Amino acid sequence: MMIVMRNTSTNARTAAKDATRERILSAAARAIRRSGYDGTGVADLMKEAGLTHGAFYSHFPSREAMLAAAAAAACAESATGAAELAASTPPDVALDVMLAAYLSKEHVAQPEAGCPLAALGSETSRQTPEVRRVLTRHVKATVDLLARQSADWGKHGAHDRALVMLSTMVGAVMLARAVDEPGLSDSLREAALKHLTSIGH
């Protein structure tokens, strides 16, 4: 009986620690997309997660390790959303729906909940190898997902077209967020969407 109780207690502590780590990662994934890697500090992050600063190091050995884990969490969230959208849409319109969602005004307005490539792409080259590896894997997975939705999936050139699509999508959203003219922001999104819709068929 004592052993069972001890194991139950240990499992509960482990589960609580895992849940706390996930809470920190969820807050960190939002924070890096909203404020960038350099703008995400441990103290502010822990406050946002509703935890004390001192608790941070029981979950991560360093700020750099947290940033890599946060980038992975942001990429996983984005990948899951894109995959679910593709799976819930008829195959013949899945690509168009994905493009419209990515190049929407809502996505531009909510970087903290959107694609980490558009939110963090320009900063990632200056980050640790671990962070860069996370974003690299996400680029490859996203290109593959886009290619699989294309009408010419499996044919020569489908992968290259997906590379162009992702580059255009990310670039358009980055620029749409950067400019201070709403009309120009909308034009950047809409022109990219029109072009990509035409090459995806």
Side-chain angles (χ1 to χ4, degrees):
M1 181 63 73
M2 292 285 289
I3 294 174
V4 172
M5 290 176 67
R6 190 176 299 119
N7 285 344
T8 301
S9 177
T10 300
N11 289 342
R13 281 197 301 272
T14 300
K17 184 173 182 178
D18 289 346
T20 299
R21 187 176 192 276
E22 288 305 309
R23 201 160 95 209
I24 297 169
L25 277 180
S26 178
R30 289 192 307 271
I32 59 172
R33 285 176 285 183
R34 180 182 61 241
S35 306
Y37 296 111
D38 292 342
T40 302
V42 171
D44 289 340
L45 172 63
M46 295 302 281
K47 183 177 180 181
E48 182 176 338
L51 300 163
T52 63
H53 188 171
F56 176 83
Y57 292 101
S58 65
H59 298 279
F60 301 97
S62 65
R63 178 177 175 276
E64 290 70 26
M66 177 275 292
L67 290 177
C75 289
E77 182 183 305
S78 179
T80 298
E84 288 177 351
L85 186 60
S88 65
T89 308
D92 58 329
V93 295
L95 182 59
D96 289 350
V97 170
M98 291 172 67
L99 291 171
Y102 195 98
L103 291 163
S104 68
K105 185 176 286 192
E106 291 75 19
H107 186 204
V108 170
Q110 299 176 1
E112 71 281 358
C115 175
L117 300 177
L120 299 164
S122 63
E123 296 182 47
T124 302
S125 64
R126 297 185 291 277
Q127 301 307 308
T128 64
E130 291 77 15
V131 170
R132 295 185 69 192
R133 174 50 43 190
V134 167
L135 268 290
T136 298
R137 285 196 297 265
H138 187 57
V139 167
K140 290 180 175 181
T142 305
V143 167
D144 184 60
L145 179 62
L146 289 170
R148 283 187 278 118
Q149 312 313 312
S150 299
D152 60 352
W153 166 238
K155 298 178 182 176
H156 179 72
H159 183 263
D160 284 354
R161 269 187 286 281
L163 287 169
V164 172
M165 279 187 182
L166 182 60
S167 299
T168 304
M169 291 160 64
V170 172
V173 171
M174 288 176 68
L175 290 175
R177 287 174 177 162
V179 299
D180 66 355
E181 295 181 14
L184 178 57
S185 178
D186 288 344
S187 293
L188 286 161
R189 291 186 305 99
E190 291 162 5
L193 180 58
K194 182 178 179 180
H195 173 69
L196 292 179
T197 301
S198 70
I199 68 169
H201 296 284

